[in-house]
Amino acid sequence: MAPPAEITIPTTSLHTPADRSKPYTLYNITLRLPLRTYVVQKRYSEFAALHSTLGALVGAPPPAPLPAKSWFKSTASSPELTEDRRRALEAYLRAVAESPDRRWRDTPAWRSFLNLPGLGSAGNSAASVRGGQGYGHGHGHGIPNRDAANAAAAQDPGTWLDLHGEMKRDFQEARRCLARRDAATENSVALEAGSAAKKALVKAAGLLSCLRDGLKAMEGARRLGDGEIRRRKDLLAAARVDREDLEKLSSTISATAKALGKGAPSAVDKAALIGSAAASKSRGRVLGAPLPETEQTRELDNQGVAMLQRQMMQEQDEDVEALTKIIRRQREMAEAIHREVDEHTAMLDHVNNQVDVLTGKTNVAKKRAKDIS
């Protein structure tokens, strides 16, 4: 029999619906199965519907009571109520999951609520972070706030690795799409593959940002050792290099499109249409002139360029911070070596003094032995 799932609710998220209606609190449920770990987001009304359905299906209430609904306060405006309800809901789920009586957790309602595989299936062989489908009676929400779910998953050491694996799969999908784009003989196929590659890169970039923020949170909470923190930072640095390389490939026009003559007009073609008059005006230095376009900024609007600039500045700040930590660690090592060298020098001086004393004693002993003989 498979061991029960380990269930926790480490964080909550405040979600505002797309129609700008009243915001509500989502509870980020983290489930650890033998072969995967993932996050499911649920609101309190879905817990209440589950509690009623479990009692109706089994004929007895679950082993723990559901925390009562507050009629005078809202979790959207009361952090204390949100924290108290989070702990109570976590205790409620754990009571059902760890109870010796399996009747409640063997129901389809329980497994659907937590997006668990069926009793006769082996659906826990994948390792990814995803949200479950909503629980019946018209309460299905899927993942109302996927960014918040990924951010919550990135703050857990186990789900962080699952998110990193999902990001690597997105990079692989982008590479496959770019290869299909370059091998395409029709312009429509090339455009479709290029668009799919850019979607995969956008998703991977979002996961990379969540992983970076989650690692900072775990480092501040000291949930991982220094060696593991450095290893995961190296993983993020390699992923950042992969993303930049793929973005450069994604922004270039494939060789097939150039051969077909169906690609977008290049900067050289535009300059040829303008003529030599415009070229003569561009001679010399012009103060305040716009900078030339690059492969990264050519397809971005003003807002996209600003976001790209902020992202590059943030990455540069992180690189400077990492370099500062390395230099500080090298300085500490140098100071430790200096102290050890001083200790060894003192020990050698002591040995020299003892050698001198021993030499003097030996000379006295030789002199006495000579006098006796």
Side-chain angles (χ1 to χ4, degrees):
M1 181 180 298
E6 181 183 349
I7 302 176
T8 58
I9 306 179
T11 59
T12 60
S13 305
L14 186 63
H15 176 64
T16 302
D19 57 359
R20 300 297 180 182
S21 58
K22 185 178 179 181
Y24 54 86
T25 301
L26 290 172
Y27 298 89
N28 302 314
I29 308 170
T30 301
L31 292 95
R32 294 181 178 85
L33 301 180
L35 297 180
R36 69 165 173 162
T37 302
Y38 61 96
V39 174
V40 179
Q41 287 185 310
K42 299 294 179 181
R43 57 186 301 185
Y44 178 79
S45 60
E46 295 177 285
F47 280 92
L50 172 69
H51 184 74
S52 301
T53 305
L54 290 179
L57 292 176
V58 178
L66 188 73
K69 181 177 179 63
S70 176
W71 299 100
F72 302 102
K73 288 184 179 180
S74 172
T75 55
S77 57
S78 176
E80 295 81 5
L81 178 61
T82 302
E83 178 61 20
D84 293 342
R85 184 172 290 178
R86 181 196 66 79
R87 287 197 295 262
L89 291 176
E90 182 179 86
Y92 172 80
L93 293 178
R94 284 186 171 181
V96 176
E98 300 172 2
S99 173
D101 193 344
R102 302 180 54 87
R103 291 180 297 169
W104 293 281
R105 63 177 177 268
D106 284 346
T107 59
W110 171 263
R111 308 190 75 82
S112 175
F113 180 82
L114 296 177
N115 195 29
L116 292 170
L119 292 176
S121 65
N124 62 346
S125 61
S128 62
V129 179
R130 66 190 70 167
Q133 296 301 321
Y135 164 66
H137 302 292
H139 295 286
H141 295 281
I143 302 183
N145 193 341
R146 181 174 292 274
D147 292 337
N150 287 337
Q155 296 181 14
D156 182 86
T159 52
W160 192 96
L161 294 175
D162 294 332
L163 275 178
H164 181 266
E166 187 173 348
M167 179 187 64
K168 291 180 64 176
R169 287 191 291 274
D170 290 333
F171 285 150
Q172 293 173 359
E173 177 64 20
R175 290 190 183 93
R176 285 193 293 267
C177 292
L178 291 175
R180 190 167 66 251
R181 181 201 68 176
D182 295 338
T185 58
E186 296 181 2
N187 194 37
S188 58
V189 177
L191 291 176
E192 182 180 357
S195 177
K198 289 183 179 180
K199 289 181 180 179
L201 287 177
V202 169
K203 182 182 176 183
L207 291 176
L208 181 59
S209 178
C210 290
L211 290 172
R212 183 175 58 244
D213 296 340
L215 187 59
K216 286 183 178 179
M218 288 189 290
E219 184 179 10
R222 297 192 176 278
R223 301 184 64 184
L224 292 173
D226 294 339
E228 181 64 15
I229 289 291
R230 286 195 295 269
R231 187 183 75 86
R232 297 194 181 194
K233 285 184 177 180
D234 293 340
L235 292 177
L236 293 182
R240 188 160 61 240
V241 173
D242 290 342
R243 187 202 66 188
E244 292 174 354
D245 293 341
L246 289 173
E247 284 181 347
K248 291 178 182 179
L249 291 175
S250 176
S251 60
T252 58
I253 302 175
S254 65
T256 304
K258 291 180 179 179
L260 293 175
K262 297 180 180 180
S266 63
V268 178
D269 298 333
K270 294 179 180 179
L273 290 176
I274 295 175
S276 59
S280 61
K281 293 181 181 180
S282 62
R283 296 174 181 174
R285 183 177 179 182
V286 180
L287 296 176
L291 295 176
E293 291 284 353
T294 64
E295 297 293 344
Q296 288 182 313
T297 61
R298 182 168 291 115
E299 298 181 1
L300 299 178
D301 55 6
N302 293 336
Q303 184 177 3
V305 172
M307 292 179 61
L308 178 61
Q309 184 180 11
R310 287 195 296 268
Q311 182 179 358
M312 293 176 64
M313 292 174 63
Q314 182 179 2
E315 293 176 356
Q316 291 173 356
D317 292 340
E318 292 175 357
D319 293 338
V320 171
E321 182 180 358
L323 182 60
T324 303
K325 292 181 179 179
I326 293 174
I327 295 174
R328 186 181 299 115
R329 189 161 58 249
Q330 293 291 338
R331 178 182 176 181
E332 293 174 355
M333 294 174 60
E335 291 177 350
I337 293 173
H338 179 69
R339 289 193 298 268
E340 188 173 355
V341 169
D342 290 341
E343 293 176 358
H344 287 180
T345 302
M347 293 172 63
L348 290 174
D349 292 340
H350 179 70
V351 170
N352 290 332
N353 295 332
Q354 293 298 320
V355 169
D356 293 339
V357 172
L358 182 60
T359 301
K361 290 181 179 180
T362 303
N363 293 333
V364 171
K366 287 180 178 180
K367 184 178 181 180
R368 289 178 179 178
K370 184 177 180 181
D371 293 341
I372 293 175
S373 62

